[in-house]
Amino acid sequence: MIELPCPWCGPRGVSEFRYVGEGATRPDPATATPQEWRAYLYLHENARGWVRENWYHTAGCRRFFKLERETESNETRAAT
Amino acid sequence: MTADLARIGPLHQWGGLFATLPDSVQVLTEQFVAQVDLRLDPAGPAGADVAAYLGVALPEAPNTWVQGDTATVIWLGPDEWLVTSPFASPEALEAGLREAVGADGAVVDVSAQRTTLRLRGAHAADVLASGCAVDLHPSVFATGSAAQTTVGMAGIVLLALDDSASDYRLLVRSTFARYLASWLLDAAQEHS
Ligand SMILES: [Zn+2]
C-alpha cells in the first residue's frame, strides 16, 4: 500500500485518503473566461515525474492538503 | 401509558459472543458517554475558557488525547476535538461547552454518533494490526496516543490506554458497530 504523509496525522495508508486533483492554481472566478475555467476544471497535465497534488484525509483529520508525488515510483514528499 | 425507554447500545446483545473470546483478546462494550464535537481556533480566546471549564487544556498535538477529572478530550484536527464524559448528560455537556466557547467556535452534541468498545489483552495489538495500518508499537502509540483511522472497512477513533499495547478504546459509528464487532471476533480467532 502506498503511504502518504498527512501534514497533521503523519504517514497513513493511501486508502484513508481521497485524491482531489492536480494542484493547479485556481483562476479568479470573477475574471476567468469560460475557456480558462473549463481548462482549470477538466484539462490536466497528467505529467510523468514529480507533480503537486491535492489530497483529502477522509478517514483521518478530514483536512485538504498539498502533496508532491513522483508518478512513476509513487514516492511522496511534503509539498514545499 | 408511556413506558420509560431504557437506553441501549448497538452491541447490547453481543455480550455472549464477546464472552467466548480468550483472555488475550477481551472485547467489552463500554457505558454510554456524552460526546460533543468542538471546533475553535486554539490560538483564540475560547481555548482558555474551554480549558477552564473542562479542567484540562485542549491537546494541540496531533494524534493525542488527554484525560481531565470529568472529561476526555481527543484531538481530531487542528481546530477540532471530541469531548466525552460519562458524568454529564449530552445536553449539559453541550450547554456548558457552548457557554465557554461563546461566539468563537462551534459545539455540537454527537453523543449518538459513536459507541465505545474496549479491547484488552496480550494480543489486543495483534488483533488490531491485522486490519489497521497505523503503527501500534508502544514506542510510538502508548498512553495518550489517539488515531482516527480504519479497522477493516470501518472508520474508528482509537485511543491507547496503556504503554504495553494491550489496552485500547475504540469509538465507532453506531451503524458500523456490528461490523466492527464481527470483524474483531473473526480477527481474534487465531489467538484462541
Ligand atoms: Zn490527517
Side-chain angles (χ1 to χ4, degrees), chain A residues 6 8-9 57 60-62:
Chain A
C6 172
W8 296 104
C9 305
H57 196 179
C61 59
R62 296 180 307 287

Side-chain angles (χ1 to χ4, degrees), chain B residues 74-92:
Chain B
I74 306 163
W75 182 95
L76 294 184
D79 59 3
E80 184 173 11
W81 294 266
L82 183 67
V83 182
T84 74
S85 174
F87 302 109
S89 71
E91 296 80 4

Side-chain angles (χ1 to χ4, degrees), chain A residues 5-10 12 16-17 56-65, chain B residues 62-63 75-78 148:
Chain A
C6 172
W8 296 104
C9 305
R12 296 294 182 91
E16 291 192 10
F17 299 85
Y56 178 63
H57 196 179
T58 321
C61 59
R62 296 180 307 287
R63 261 64 189 178
F64 291 88
F65 63 96
Chain B
N63 304 328
W75 182 95
L76 294 184
Q148 296 172 90

Side-chain angles (χ1 to χ4, degrees), chain B residues 7 9-10 30-38 54 70-74 76 81-95 97-98 106-117 156-157 159 169-174:
Chain B
R7 175 181 276 145
E30 294 217 311
Q31 68 175 123
F32 176 87
V33 291
Q35 299 172 53
V36 171
D37 188 88
L38 174 67
L54 292 173
T70 61
T72 301
V73 187
I74 306 163
L76 294 184
W81 294 266
L82 183 67
V83 182
T84 74
S85 174
F87 302 109
S89 71
E91 296 80 4
L93 185 61
E94 184 188 33
L97 282 169
R98 188 166 287 161
V107 176
V108 180
D109 171 22
V110 293
S111 304
Q113 186 187 5
R114 294 185 180 92
T115 192
T116 315
L117 283 175
I156 62 158
V157 180
L159 309 184
R169 182 166 286 143
L170 287 73
L171 291 94
V172 62
R173 293 188 176 85
S174 298

Side-chain angles (χ1 to χ4, degrees), chain A:
Chain A
M1 187 188 285
I2 305 169
E3 207 173 63
L4 298 186
C6 172
W8 296 104
C9 305
R12 296 294 182 91
V14 71
S15 60
E16 291 192 10
F17 299 85
R18 181 164 68 81
Y19 177 68
V20 184
E22 291 179 357
T25 307
R26 183 172 181 257
D28 182 355
T31 57
T33 64
Q35 288 74 18
E36 285 169 343
W37 195 250
R38 177 180 173 277
Y40 166 67
L41 288 178
Y42 300 114
L43 303 183
H44 304 304
E45 295 289 333
N46 200 22
R48 187 169 79 174
W50 283 100
V51 297
R52 271 169 82 83
E53 299 176 328
N54 297 308
W55 287 80
Y56 178 63
H57 196 179
T58 321
C61 59
R62 296 180 307 287
R63 261 64 189 178
F64 291 88
F65 63 96
K66 287 198 194 302
L67 180 74
E68 290 182 3
R69 185 170 65 92
E70 220 287 348
T71 51
E72 275 191 285
S73 65
N74 273 325
E75 190 185 344
T76 58
R77 64 191 181 199
T80 49

